[in-house]
Amino acid sequence: MSIEKITSAIIDEAKTECEQILTAADTKNRGVIDQLEKRIVIETDVAVKAATEERERIISRRKSVADIDSKKIILQKKQELINSCFDEAADYIISMDTDRYIQFLAAAGRLSGFTEGELIFNDKEKTSIGEKVVAALNKTVDGGSFRLAEETRNLKGGYMLRKGQIYINNSVEAMVEENRRLLTADVADILFPPEK
């Protein structure tokens, strides 16, 4: 055998062996690639599912927070409207017809149980109706001995009844505030009737 034939046989054998190695490597690589592709699909599905679940949890939490915040805002607005009703009630009482307002204030003094004392008004009402309220109160209460105080107070309307060291707050704002606790639920039902 000549060197050329031997060389050619070695080269042919090497090519065959190389092709077998390449084929085996290619087959092995295909198997590895197939496994990796399957693993990628599985892991991608798991990751997408986890991300979707996390997104839903985040949306749910944020929606819950938004629902709570919206309920707080609605409750705050309802409370503002209720407060506005009571503020308007005080304004309504103060702006009543003068004779009716005087009778209202005299009735408040009669309910105090006192038969004497000083009525302390704000500057405006002391001048405009103070003496009339004192007269109406003295007329309404048996043995009434009420008088108009020299001092004034910063009141929206009505008066403070003072007997010695004891004060009865018959200011319009105090009377409205006292009734606020009793009437808030009724006002809320009128303004915001329950849904049927």
Side-chain angles (χ1 to χ4, degrees):
M1 242 195 195
S2 75
I3 291 204
E4 288 175 9
K5 281 186 179 185
I6 294 174
T7 307
S8 178
I10 292 173
I11 290 175
D12 286 343
E13 190 179 313
K15 280 183 183 178
T16 302
E17 192 176 323
C18 184
E19 285 177 14
Q20 289 174 349
I21 291 172
L22 286 176
T23 301
D26 188 46
T27 302
K28 188 175 181 181
N29 284 342
R30 285 272 168 232
V32 170
I33 288 171
D34 287 346
Q35 286 179 346
L36 286 175
E37 285 176 346
K38 288 176 184 174
R39 188 171 165 195
I40 287 171
V41 167
I42 290 169
E43 289 184 12
T44 301
D45 287 347
V46 168
V48 166
K49 184 178 178 188
T52 302
E53 289 172 357
E54 181 62 20
R55 182 188 76 206
E56 293 303 320
R57 279 194 295 272
I58 290 169
I59 289 170
S60 177
R61 281 194 304 261
R62 289 190 178 159
K63 186 175 184 242
S64 295
V65 170
D67 287 345
I68 291 168
D69 287 347
S70 71
K71 286 177 183 174
K72 284 180 185 176
I73 291 168
I74 290 169
L75 185 60
Q76 180 182 0
K77 289 299 178 188
K78 284 181 176 181
Q79 192 59 51
E80 287 174 10
L81 287 171
I82 290 169
N83 291 342
S84 161
C85 286
F86 284 101
D87 291 343
E88 288 178 26
D91 293 340
Y92 173 79
I93 292 169
I94 292 168
S95 66
M96 281 194 291
D97 171 69
T98 304
D99 291 336
R100 193 169 164 214
Y101 184 50
I102 290 168
Q103 292 308 312
F104 172 80
L105 295 176
R110 182 174 36 87
L111 291 174
S112 71
F114 290 174
T115 56
E116 61 181 282
E118 292 182 303
L119 279 63
I120 307 168
F121 288 88
N122 64 28
D123 288 327
K124 179 183 173 193
E125 288 188 352
K126 177 183 178 186
T127 306
S128 63
I129 61 168
E131 289 293 345
K132 293 176 184 175
V133 173
V134 169
L137 185 55
N138 282 329
K139 186 177 176 182
T140 306
V141 174
D142 288 335
S145 180
F146 296 96
R147 62 187 177 84
L148 186 62
E150 288 299 317
E151 71 176 287
T152 59
R153 292 278 173 98
N154 184 18
L155 307 170
K156 193 170 190 175
Y159 57 90
M160 299 288 291
L161 174 56
R162 176 176 58 200
K163 180 179 178 188
Q165 300 295 329
I166 301 171
Y167 287 83
I168 302 287
N169 191 345
N170 283 336
S171 66
V172 171
E173 54 266 41
M175 288 186 269
V176 167
E177 188 60 36
E178 182 178 322
N179 286 293
R180 177 189 303 254
R181 290 180 220 104
L182 303 171
L183 299 174
T184 296
D186 294 334
V187 171
D189 286 343
I190 291 167
L191 292 176
F192 317 107
E195 294 179 14
K196 296 177 183 174

